[in-house]
Amino acid sequence: MLCYESIIKSVIDCYPELVPEDIQLGTPPALEMGDVAIPAFIPAKKRKVAPHVMAQDMAQRVSFDECVATATASGPYLNLFFDRKRVGFAMLRDILLAGDCWGAGGSGRGKRVLIEHTSINPNASPHVGRGRCAMIGDSLARLMRFEGYDVEVHYYVNDMGRQIGLLVLVASELEGVTFDRMLDIYVAANQRAKDDPEFAARGYELLVKMEAGDPETREKFYRVTELCLQGQLEVLRRLNVSYDCFDHESVYVNDPRWPAIEAALEGRGAIFTDEEGRRVVDLSRLGYGAEEGRYFVLRRANGSSMYGCRDLLYSLDKHGRNADINIMVLGEDHKLYAQQLALILDAAGIPAPEAIYYSYIRLSQGIMSTREGNVVLLSDFLDQASAISQDRVTEQFPDLSEDDRRVIADLVAVSAIRFAVLRVKPAKNVIFDLETALSFNGDTGPYMLYCCARIRSILRKWDREIPDLSREAFQVTTDQEWMLLKTMAQLPKVVSDSMIQHNCAPIANYALELAHVFTAFYHECPVLTADNEATLHMRLRLCEAALQTLSNALGILGIDTPERM
RNA sequence: GCCCCGAUAGUUCAGUGGAUAGAACGAGCGCCUCCUAAGCGCUAAACACAGGUUCGAUUCCUGUUCGGGGCGCCA
C-alpha cells in the first residue's frame, strides 16, 4: 500500500542499527487492532531488549508521517492505524484515475512474451480437464498483457502421430464425419488398434506415407485434423480463450535445421543407432542422472520421426522469435519429457521454454481420458450451465429479450467454470463435480457477477453525474467502507505477486474476497439513501471503484460481467 | 524400485516464518414494507504423522504414511 515505504523509513530513521529488511510489515488479525502491524521481534533482537519493550519503545519514539493517525503497542507488535480520511481519499482517487489500468504495474512495457498453451491433440471435443490448460494459459496471457507485455499466444497443432493416424484411418472410411461424432470414432479407433494388430500396423504405415509427403495422405490428415481443430476452437472460444498463431507439427518433419541438432548430439557422444535401427539419445551423456528415462528415442526403425524430434524443432522455432519470456503450459504427465527435451536443447545451445505444469482435473469416478471416453465435455458443461442460468434470468427479468437472456446465461456459465478452475493453484489435482459446478451459490464465478450486477444497478439508478470527489467533504464513516477501500488498494500487490509466480490463482481468490467485502458494504451502507449528500457521493464513487477493481481482476481471469442478472 | 507433485473443517478450496488458520458447500437457527435473497447474520467443525532449524513452524528441511503423475519406438 501507499504508505509502507514511508513507515519503514520512519522506523529505521529512529534506530540507526536497523535496516529496511528488519521491518517486515504485516496485518493485524482484526480491524479493531489496526491497519498495519510492525513485529518487534527482529528489531528487539538487534537492540537486545524484549520484543514487547521494543514495541513500546517504537510507539513512543518513532514519529510517522501524516498517513498514520495512531500507533499503539500491543504485546510484541506495534500496530498502526491509518488516517482513514486522508489515506482513503488518496486510494479512491488513485483507483478512479487509473481506471482500466488500476492494478497494473507496467513491468512488461517494451517486452515480449511468447506463450504456448492448450495444444490439444486434434482428435475430439475437449473435456474439462483439457480446458484447465487453456484457461491457465489464457489467463497468464491476459495477466501479462495487463502488465504491459506484448503477448503472442501460440497453439501447437499435433496433426501427426500414431493416435491421429488411427483416427484418420477410420474417419476417412466414413461418410460425412462431423466434429460431434469424432469422440466416438476416436475411442473406437483406439479400441480397434488394441484388438487388431493389423489395423495398428496400418496406422504406422500411414505415418510413414505422411512423413514422406504423400499428397493424398496429407490431404486426409488435414481434413480430419482441421475439422477437429476448428471444432475445438469453437468450444474454447465460448470460454473466452483465443490464440494468435497456430503452429502445425507436420511442418517440422524433414526440417533443414535438424542436422545441426544431430551434430550437436554427436559432438557430445550422446546419440546412437541401436541394434534394431532406432535413433536414440543417451541422456546420461548430457547430465541426466537416473537410469530410468535415460534413453530418448528420436526415430523409429522404419525411419519415421517421434514426437520429440518435431518438438525439438518447434522449440528451436519459438526460441528464434526472441521473446523476453517464453512459456509453455503443460500437463504434469509431461514433466519428465520436458526435462529430457530441455537437456537436448541445452546440448544444442538453445534455452528451453519455461514450463508451467498443471495437474489433472479428476471426476469423482476417476481420471478423465479422451481415449477411454469417460469425460465431461466442456461444451456439455457450458450448455447445461447456460440452460440453468437462463431459466433463472427468465424468472427474474421476464421482460428481457431472448438474446439478452442468452448473453447473461453464457456469461454466468463461463464465469462458473473459469473461476472454479483458476482459483486452484495449477499443481493441485482438482476434483470436478458437475452438480456442484452447476449450483451457482457460494464462492463461485456467478457470485462475483452478481456483485457486479448489484453495483451496476445502483449506478444505473443514479442517472446523473457524480460530483467530483472533494478532499474536504470526503469521509470514511464505517468499517465496511474502510475495508472496501483497503481491499481495493491491494490489487497492485496481488497482480505483481501473480506476475512473479506466473500464476493467476491469487487473482481469482482476491476477486472473490473483494466481492465478499463489497457485499458486506452493500448490506451495511445504503448508497442511494445515504444520510447526507457527501456520503451519498462518496459511496457512489466507492461503487464505481469497486466495479472497476473487480472488473480488472476478473478481466485477467477472462471473465466478463453482465449489466444485470 | 527410482524421480516429480500434493496432503488444511464431513466435503471442495484459500492462506501465512509471527497475534484468534480464512471462505464456500453440507448441517442447525434466523433475515425480503429496505439500492437485485444467485444475497446476509449467527452456531458446530481442520493444519496427515515423527523429528530438526528458529525467539517463534501449519508454513522451511529430513524421514514416514497416504493420494496423483512419470520412468525407450503414445503425444
Side-chain angles (χ1 to χ4, degrees):
Chain A
M1 230 178 296
L2 325 127
C3 311
Y4 281 7
E5 280 174 27
S6 83
I7 289 169
I8 292 170
K9 186 169 182 304
S10 301
V11 177
I12 60 172
D13 280 355
C14 218
Y15 301 96
E17 60 271 67
L18 298 182
V19 295
E21 290 70 40
D22 296 333
I23 312 301
Q24 309 208 333
L25 300 179
T27 309
L31 188 64
E32 313 86 71
M33 297 174 75
D35 298 308
V36 180
I38 306 175
F41 302 100
I42 297 168
K45 201 172 190 180
K46 281 211 169 177
R47 304 199 79 230
K48 299 185 171 55
V49 295
H52 71 277
V53 174
M54 183 66 206
Q56 280 166 7
D57 195 60
M58 288 194 287
Q60 281 166 13
R61 284 177 54 189
V62 180
S63 61
F64 294 98
D65 73 15
E66 63 276 10
C67 68
V68 175
T70 54
T72 48
S74 166
Y77 297 88
L78 179 63
N79 290 335
L80 310 181
F81 291 81
F82 281 134
D83 177 334
R84 292 184 174 187
K85 179 181 166 92
R86 181 185 294 271
V87 175
F89 180 84
M91 285 172 174
L92 189 50
R93 185 200 50 203
D94 286 354
I95 295 165
L96 293 170
L97 221 55
D100 290 342
C101 295
W102 168 242
S107 62
R109 265 192 289 270
K111 295 186 190 154
R112 293 179 51 234
V113 173
L114 192 160
I115 176 164
E116 181 216 328
H117 66 78
T118 316
S119 304
I120 310 171
N121 284 350
N123 53 24
S125 192
H127 60 68
V128 176
R130 296 262 96 91
R132 190 176 192 188
C133 183
M135 291 181 259
I136 288 170
D138 183 69
S139 289
L140 271 177
R142 288 170 187 269
L143 171 67
M144 291 178 180
R145 282 204 182 102
F146 187 68
E147 268 297 281
Y149 286 93
D150 179 8
V151 179
E152 203 172 79
V153 181
H154 286 247
Y155 189 116
Y156 188 52
V157 184
N158 300 103
D159 58 348
M160 292 200 59
R162 195 181 97 97
Q163 304 299 326
I164 303 302
L166 296 174
L167 179 67
V168 169
L169 215 49
V170 175
S172 51
E173 287 169 1
L174 302 171
E175 292 286 316
V177 169
T178 58
F179 178 63
D180 296 334
R181 288 181 55 204
M182 212 52 99
L183 176 60
D184 292 336
I185 297 173
Y186 182 69
V187 172
N190 276 287
Q191 189 56 48
R192 194 168 150 195
K194 251 189 215 168
D195 302 338
D196 177 3
E198 186 272 335
F199 176 74
R202 276 166 60 204
Y204 286 116
E205 283 166 27
L206 202 61
L207 279 190
V208 174
K209 279 168 92 175
M210 173 70 181
E211 285 210 29
D214 173 57
E216 197 188 327
T217 307
R218 291 194 76 103
E219 171 65 22
K220 278 185 189 168
F221 269 70
Y222 181 80
R223 270 212 307 274
V224 171
T225 55
E226 192 63 13
L227 179 68
C228 288
L229 177 63
Q230 292 310 324
Q232 290 170 337
L233 291 176
E234 204 174 303
V235 179
L236 293 166
R237 216 169 8 243
R238 290 178 68 187
L239 271 175
N240 256 348
V241 178
S242 62
Y243 307 85
D244 303 312
C245 305
F246 295 90
D247 310 318
H248 286 75
E249 184 179 357
S250 58
V251 311
Y252 297 103
V253 293
N254 305 319
D255 190 291
R257 292 166 294 188
W258 179 251
I261 294 178
E262 278 220 22
L265 292 170
E266 299 269 11
R268 300 281 292 272
I271 187 169
F272 65 96
T273 303
D274 76 1
E275 62 282 0
E276 292 175 50
R278 298 169 269 223
R279 287 296 274 168
V280 181
V281 179
D282 179 358
L283 294 165
S284 71
R285 309 301 286 269
L286 304 177
Y288 184 81
E291 182 58 30
E292 300 77 19
R294 170 181 168 186
Y295 296 107
F296 188 90
V297 177
L298 293 172
R299 275 180 200 284
R300 301 181 179 95
N302 69 9
S304 62
S305 63
M306 295 280 293
Y307 55 92
C309 263
R310 280 105 63 180
D311 260 8
L312 285 166
L313 289 156
Y314 182 43
S315 301
L316 191 75
D317 224 21
K318 290 200 290 189
H319 174 252
R321 293 170 190 267
N322 287 318
D324 297 279
I325 299 178
N326 183 1
I327 289 181
M328 53 184 177
V329 185
L330 297 175
E332 63 177 344
D333 51 331
H334 284 62
K335 270 185 187 174
L336 175 61
Y337 171 64
Q339 189 192 340
Q340 293 170 325
L341 220 57
L343 285 172
I344 299 175
L345 286 168
D346 183 61
I350 301 156
E354 174 191 341
I356 297 193
Y357 299 103
Y358 67 94
S359 293
Y360 291 144
I361 292 184
R362 304 171 64 77
L363 298 172
S364 32
Q365 306 84 21
I367 203 156
M368 279 189 246
S369 159
T370 308
R371 225 175 280 185
E372 308 291 336
N374 56 331
V375 294
V376 173
L377 294 182
L378 269 173
S379 55
D380 290 346
F381 174 72
L382 286 169
D383 289 344
Q384 289 189 47
S386 289
I388 292 170
S389 168
Q390 204 162 358
D391 285 348
R392 291 190 77 163
V393 178
T394 306
E395 224 171 88
Q396 201 158 352
F397 304 104
D399 300 338
L400 283 183
S401 73
E402 170 87 31
D403 281 353
D404 287 347
R405 293 200 299 257
R406 157 123 250 135
V407 167
I408 295 167
D410 288 349
L411 290 175
V412 169
V414 170
S415 77
I417 185 164
R418 286 197 67 128
F419 179 73
V421 168
L422 288 170
R423 70 178 303 204
V424 183
K425 56 185 168 202
K428 273 205 176 175
N429 280 122
V430 295
I431 300 189
F432 184 86
D433 177 58
L434 189 60
E435 210 170 306
T436 307
L438 291 173
S439 91
F440 301 135
N441 303 318
D443 284 356
T444 61
Y447 174 83
M448 297 183 293
L449 299 200
Y450 186 62
C451 177
C452 290
R454 283 170 143 183
I455 299 174
R456 290 206 165 96
S457 172
I458 293 172
L459 295 173
R460 211 168 35 238
K461 287 188 171 151
W462 180 264
D463 53 357
R464 282 153 279 173
E465 284 287 301
I466 305 168
D468 284 336
L469 277 177
S470 129
R471 191 186 296 269
E472 293 68 38
F474 183 90
Q475 267 206 6
V476 178
T477 53
T478 66
D479 281 350
Q480 286 77 17
E481 292 167 319
W482 179 236
M483 273 307 291
L484 181 55
L485 279 162
K486 287 213 299 180
T487 306
M488 293 190 294
Q490 288 165 19
L491 181 63
K493 172 85 165 78
V494 174
V495 168
S496 86
D497 285 351
S498 296
M499 195 57 220
I500 291 164
Q501 296 176 39
H502 288 175
N503 170 18
C504 291
I507 309 260
N509 288 298
Y510 168 80
L512 179 66
E513 187 196 341
L514 180 58
H516 276 298
V517 171
F518 179 84
T519 303
F521 161 83
Y522 178 89
H523 280 279
E524 283 302 314
C525 308
V527 179
L528 299 173
T529 55
D531 294 339
N532 59 72
E533 275 217 326
T535 305
L536 166 67
H537 296 157
M538 180 272 192
R539 288 182 179 167
L540 280 168
R541 290 295 184 191
L542 225 38
C543 285
E544 278 191 320
L547 182 61
Q548 181 75 64
T549 306
L550 195 47
S551 300
N552 289 5
L554 291 174
I556 293 170
L557 304 176
I559 295 173
D560 296 323
T561 60
E563 180 66 27
R564 65 193 89 214
M565 70 180 265

